[in-house]
Amino acid sequence: MLKQQTPTDNDTAHNDMAQPKIPLIKITLPQTSHFSDSFRSTVGIVINIKKQLQVKPLENQVKDSERLPKWVIKALAALLGGFALLWYSRGVISALRPLLIILLVSLFLSFALEPAVNRLEKLGLKRGIGTALTFLICFVALGGFGFQVGSLLADQVTEFNNNIPTYLSDIDEFLDDNFGIENATSDLQEKYDSGALAKWLGDLADDLARFGTTVANVLFQLFTIALFSFYLVAEGPKVRKLVCSFLAPRRQGQVLEIWDLAVSKTGGYILSRSVLAVLSGAIHWLIFEIIGLPSALALALWVGVISQFVPVVGTYIAGVLPLIVGLLGEPVDGLWVLITIAVYQQIENYLISPRITAHTMQIHPAVAFASVIAGSAILGVVGALLALPAAATIQSVISSVARRHEVSEELLATKTQREGSLKRNTPEDINPEQKNTD
């Protein structure tokens, strides 16, 4: 009778090594009834099934290889999110653009008025009272200017309407006597007599009335600017302290230095322009009274303020109104007005303005012109008005930060001599004998 042989550990290990690592689920159980063999076989089946389930089919492996990496998907999502955020920010900035312009104008206006408030504070007045007094003086000056110019325009329009028949008859006489043209303005006289011209003037008045809505909006914006400016001037030290509290100590000194430069340059710009406006207005008032222009004071104020505070083209805009008023009266008066404005402008540019601006704001004319163009391109009329003080501030900051080096005069002289010698030794200047010798 044969004894049943029990498999040893070596046989079991040999059988395990013979089995593949990832076999198919088809497993043949050994023909034995021993408990240990059955248990080992069952454990082997479970392990092999688990390994087989962890292995992905070949098709899934191909699909995974065709998918984009996760970092690419994240980068595309971040890019699209950034574009969406920029588009939304652009809409927000466009909606807040009027408010941002108001804040910018208020900031520069506070820079312009702060030196006067600081002086009043040194004299013993509280900062709030000094600020209120400064704003009151500004409001009175602007109100007086607006009243004078408005009264002038109203009087001139009324006088022009009443004197239309006289102007038309004078034009007919001039054309008839000098060119032989008769009844050149008969159509205009018929329209005036029939009331068509009066109706046109009435329509113009209606347009001006509708324009009053825009004027009301402008006045509201001016009130908002004044409110922000009053707060920035009255609480100037606290505002600077608040801004510097968000900065590191090494940056606080730089910010305060730039702030003081902006206040100094903007205040100096307003001071110099105000002095020149008063001087220009006084001289033009005297000359307009001598010429005999109507509303000489209002015309002089118009010329003084507009010519000084409107950059580049202010002189031409200021000279148009008194020239028209003079021509409507007597053509000779208009000629004298034109000569007066032209001569005074030259005297101011070469004698008066350099002496005043040398103590307040030094800026090259080319830089001033370029800054006005850039400011008008960015912010329109507001940018043109703020361009000069902004350019002066930026120029001062660059001058204080950038390092400059002296240029050797000997080097410049040597370069000039070298260029002169090169010009003298051009081929055209060489003698024909030297050419033949060469």
Side-chain angles (χ1 to χ4, degrees), residues 335-391:
L335 179 61
W336 282 114
V337 168
L338 182 62
I339 294 174
T340 300
I341 294 175
V343 171
Y344 177 79
Q345 190 62 36
Q346 299 303 317
I347 295 174
E348 180 187 288
N349 291 337
Y350 292 100
L351 296 178
I352 302 174
S353 182
R355 297 176 183 272
I356 294 177
T357 56
H359 301 284
T360 55
M361 185 186 67
Q362 293 180 346
I363 184 170
H364 195 274
V367 177
F369 185 70
S371 63
V372 170
I373 295 176
S376 61
I378 296 172
L379 295 176
V381 178
V382 176
L385 295 176
L386 301 180
L388 292 182

Side-chain angles (χ1 to χ4, degrees), residues 312-324:
V312 181
V313 296
T315 303
Y316 307 103
I317 297 175
V320 169
L321 183 60
L323 179 61
I324 293 175

